[in-house]
Amino acid sequence: MVHSFIAHTSPGRCRVFALVKDPDDRLEVVTTLGAGDLHLSGELISALNDFLSDRDNAALQTVLDRAPSPVRMAVQQFLKDKCAPEAGTFTTYGPIDIVRHAVYFSRIDEELEDYLEGAYMIGLGIRMSNERGTDGDVGWVIQLLSDEVSVPASDEPRTWALPTEVKLLNTWTSKQPLAGLGPVRSALKAAAGASAEGHWVRIHTLLHSDRDEDFEGSGTSEFVVDVFDAPIPLQELDE
């Protein structure tokens, strides 16, 4: 995973590196700016690091349009090969690091609600889905993420990419609160009802911006509950 971009400048050239963590830190060469383009180095590094956090290609492209063709092609190829969003996890608005893997709850109860409330209050992202064990019992798997992914105002409230193999039945968001309930309890109630009917359910949080550009500013934190026309998947067992 690319953590950040840095530059090493010497007389006559600037080499752009990516700091990659997987799991050890290492530097990978992205491109080299010649003497005539050294004035672009600061802008390019800043645009690349901004791209990592918000996937705003327009700002980066503005810098690349002023760079020589070999530099532009090298950067674009590197981003395509090394900085693509994780398939099936988020759309183009992430990446977000997983800070805790696969916490399992056997049912939706006060303990699970307190766990989500705590994560939600300190601004961690949440992903949660139901699964069926080999004994037939249904439980819930939760991952906590380092942040909530931001979504532009005009886009639908979803960052967890929809699966292509099943049909989406309906989506509930916390902009449709249930009477007298807060966002966490409302989301859990909506999820529990669909799960009780045998449907695969996924929950996640996001920051829905009030703008379409530079959308990491102000926004509304939302819960999203997706219900699929598919049975609850079987629990994945570690080999």
Side-chain angles (χ1 to χ4, degrees), residues 71-209:
V71 171
R72 182 168 60 251
M73 293 174 62
V75 169
Q76 290 172 336
Q77 188 63 48
F78 183 89
L79 295 179
K80 179 181 178 181
D81 293 342
K82 301 296 179 68
C83 296
E86 184 180 346
T89 301
F90 293 108
T91 55
T92 55
Y93 308 124
I96 298 294
D97 296 329
I98 295 174
V99 297
R100 184 157 187 182
H101 290 262
V103 178
Y104 184 83
F105 288 84
S106 60
R107 61 186 178 276
I108 291 180
D109 57 10
E110 185 175 344
E111 181 183 4
L112 188 156
E113 183 178 345
D114 288 344
Y115 184 84
L116 290 191
E117 284 279 9
Y120 188 55
M121 288 297 292
I122 63 175
L124 297 180
I126 295 168
R127 292 174 61 203
M128 173 175 165
S129 61
N130 59 347
E131 60 180 32
R132 188 179 300 278
T134 55
D135 58 2
D137 291 341
V138 175
W140 296 86
V141 177
I142 301 173
Q143 288 180 332
L144 298 184
L145 307 149
S146 59
D147 205 348
E148 291 181 340
V149 183
S150 297
V151 179
S154 61
D155 282 19
E156 64 179 7
R158 182 178 294 106
T159 58
W160 199 349
L162 291 173
T164 59
E165 69 276 12
V166 297
K167 178 183 177 182
L168 177 68
L169 280 181
N170 59 72
T171 298
W172 175 94
T173 77
S174 50
K175 282 195 172 182
Q176 311 155 31
L178 303 179
L181 302 180
V184 174
R185 185 169 294 182
S186 292
L188 291 178
K189 185 173 182 179
S195 183
E197 295 176 355
H199 295 296
W200 178 23
V201 181
R202 298 195 317 194
I203 303 173
H204 70 285
T205 56
L206 53 87
L207 182 68
H208 209 160
S209 177

